[in-house]
Amino acid sequence: MDTRGLVDYHLHTELCGHARGGLEDYVGRALELGLAEVGFCDHFPLLHLKDPTLSMTVEDLPRYLREVEELRGRFSGMLEIRVGIEVDYLPETLQQVSEMLEGLTLDYVMGSVHFLDGWGFDDPRYVDGYRGRDIRALWERYFQLLGDAAESGKFDVMAHPDLIKKFGYRPSGEVSDIYRRCLDRLAEAGVVVEVNTAGLRKPVGEIYPAEEFLRMCLEREIPVTLGSDAHAPGEVGADFAAAAAMLRRVGYRELTVFRRRARSSIPLPS
Ligand code: ZN
Ligand code: FE
Ligand code: FE
Ligand code: ZN
């Protein structure tokens, strides 16, 4: 099974301080794979903490947009290139972030929950934070914040929707109720969900989201898009055959694409 005709909507760049490779190298890899479309989606500046290894700075934003725009020109006719951004959802900075977003020309905005009440729970430096915690309560809190983020109306796509499983900490027993409460809110909010293959490269060793979660998305007719969360050119389209197979197995037949924050869909190649 190959990757032709798929889209990779989650590419990072060196500006975030923890990715490597030039933008043209990401695009070169996408061309090799025969992807239909790619979207850069680097980390929007974090406003609640200064850490040059986590996101671009506010000053970097115009440069980011300019560089992707230049690339779009250079590769026109060869590959569709979109510009998105991955924004951390934090209740305390939402207002400021949304004012900043209003001034930017973007194809789409992904909303991510990487912080639970100040704790960067997906950051390997802070993995100790799981110890001694009630994992079910953590999951509840995570999916509640994901629902809050969707309801804010500021995001087109919810990125790596079950990121809380990254290090393999899961509640014992069923989590369907947690998924259901969250997904009812996502469906009502009208957001798209990202199928993100980065989880396969992390301790959990699974695509985000879990197949059960994805099935519950389809039941609610929640559209999906696809991303590798590449932080290096070699990760573009990583494990897309597995992601496409999961999407087909669940019953998805389309992927969502964006242009200037307007949504359309392309067929999922069979
Ligand atoms: Zn990153
Ligand atoms: Fe993320
Ligand atoms: Fe990312
Ligand atoms: Zn991400």
Side-chain angles (χ1 to χ4, degrees):
M1 199 185 309
D2 73 353
T3 51
R4 304 193 77 78
L6 296 171
V7 305
D8 191 340
Y9 257 43
H10 200 147
L11 308 183
H12 287 276
T13 80
E14 286 180 336
L15 286 174
C16 70
H18 61 273
R20 57 202 155 75
L23 277 75
E24 61 287 344
D25 301 324
Y26 287 81
V27 171
R29 182 65 186 139
L31 286 168
E32 278 173 22
L33 294 172
L35 298 183
E37 194 165 317
V38 293
F40 285 89
C41 192
D42 210 357
H43 297 283
F44 187 83
L46 284 173
L47 304 178
H48 74 297
L49 84 120
K50 289 268 168 283
D51 185 337
T53 73
L54 288 181
S55 73
M56 70 177 84
T57 64
V58 174
E59 294 70 38
D60 289 333
L61 265 171
R63 178 175 152 202
Y64 170 64
L65 299 177
R66 201 174 54 239
E67 284 183 359
V68 179
E69 194 52 49
E70 271 172 28
L71 206 68
R72 197 203 299 269
R74 201 148 27 109
F75 286 89
S76 100
M78 300 168 74
L79 181 67
E80 296 290 340
I81 299 174
R82 299 286 179 254
V83 63
I85 201 135
E86 178 175 11
V87 177
D88 280 89
Y89 174 71
L90 291 135
E92 62 272 29
T93 58
L94 181 66
Q95 183 57 34
Q96 200 189 344
V97 163
S98 57
E99 283 164 20
M100 290 170 67
L101 285 172
E102 275 167 31
L104 305 177
T105 303
L106 292 162
D107 291 312
Y108 57 95
V109 177
M110 282 208 195
S112 292
V113 176
H114 300 119
F115 292 92
L116 290 182
D117 306 306
W119 170 40
F121 68 86
D122 76 322
D123 189 327
R125 292 175 294 177
Y126 312 126
V127 69
D128 275 0
Y130 288 90
R131 277 212 212 122
R133 295 285 279 268
D134 176 341
I135 301 301
R136 182 166 290 273
L138 276 184
W139 276 50
E140 296 271 9
R141 180 67 181 142
Y142 170 83
F143 285 103
Q144 179 185 42
L145 285 169
L146 194 71
D148 292 350
E151 284 174 358
S152 77
K154 303 299 177 190
F155 309 112
D156 303 302
V157 181
M158 304 320 297
H160 42 59
D162 60 353
L163 182 65
I164 189 69
K165 73 183 178 186
K166 176 173 177 175
F167 296 106
Y169 291 91
R170 310 166 179 280
S172 54
E174 290 281 304
V175 288
S176 318
D177 280 358
I178 300 179
Y179 292 165
R180 182 178 43 73
R181 282 194 294 277
C182 178
L183 284 173
D184 286 346
R185 299 175 69 196
L186 268 50
E188 180 66 29
V191 293
V192 171
V193 155
E194 181 200 25
V195 172
N196 179 311
T197 56
L200 288 169
R201 311 191 294 273
K202 299 299 185 312
V204 68
E206 264 183 22
I207 291 171
Y208 306 119
E211 190 155 332
E212 181 190 7
F213 186 99
L214 195 61
R215 259 186 269 119
M216 292 170 75
C217 288
L218 184 67
E219 280 167 19
R220 290 161 179 78
E221 297 178 32
I222 296 174
V224 290
T225 193
L226 180 58
S228 64
D229 220 334
H231 285 72
E235 291 173 351
V236 174
D239 297 303
F240 271 19
M246 180 167 95
L247 282 161
R248 281 189 219 105
R249 193 159 64 233
V250 164
Y252 275 96
R253 296 293 176 258
E254 290 179 341
L255 293 174
T256 306
V257 291
F258 291 88
R259 172 124 208 167
R260 298 281 173 96
R261 309 208 57 187
R263 215 194 257 187
S264 56
S265 57
I266 61 166
L268 180 67
S270 49

